[in-house]
Amino acid sequence: MCVGLSAKVVKIGDGTAVIDAGGAKREISSQLLEDLEPGDYVMVHAGVAIAKITEEDDSETEQLMEEYL
């Protein structure tokens, strides 16, 4: 099973993005997604933003992860 992490984009660079995932900031690859901007929410897997998601998706994902952990 693969697990993706939902996160908020705080900064965009050249093919990279800095994300905030529950207070932890990390730099990831953003090359798979077009038109990514600070404030967007993304699903991250293996250090790569793989999909844009909504803020509601992010909240739901965080709740589910808290239940499992």
Side-chain angles (χ1 to χ4, degrees):
M1 175 172 79
C2 297
V3 176
L5 172 71
S6 62
K8 184 175 184 177
V9 176
V10 293
K11 183 179 175 184
I12 298 291
D14 186 30
T16 64
V18 175
I19 58 164
D20 182 338
K25 292 189 171 70
R26 295 185 177 197
E27 186 173 49
I28 61 161
S29 172
S30 62
Q31 293 181 341
L32 295 179
L33 302 179
E34 296 180 9
D35 302 325
L36 198 58
E37 302 200 11
D40 287 343
Y41 287 86
V42 292
M43 185 62 61
V44 179
H45 177 69
V48 178
I50 58 172
K52 279 188 180 181
I53 61 173
T54 66
E55 185 175 358
E56 291 80 23
D57 292 334
D58 177 64
S59 296
E60 184 178 346
T61 301
E62 284 185 18
Q63 287 175 338
L64 289 170
M65 290 303 289
E66 287 177 15
E67 289 177 20
Y68 288 124
L69 302 175

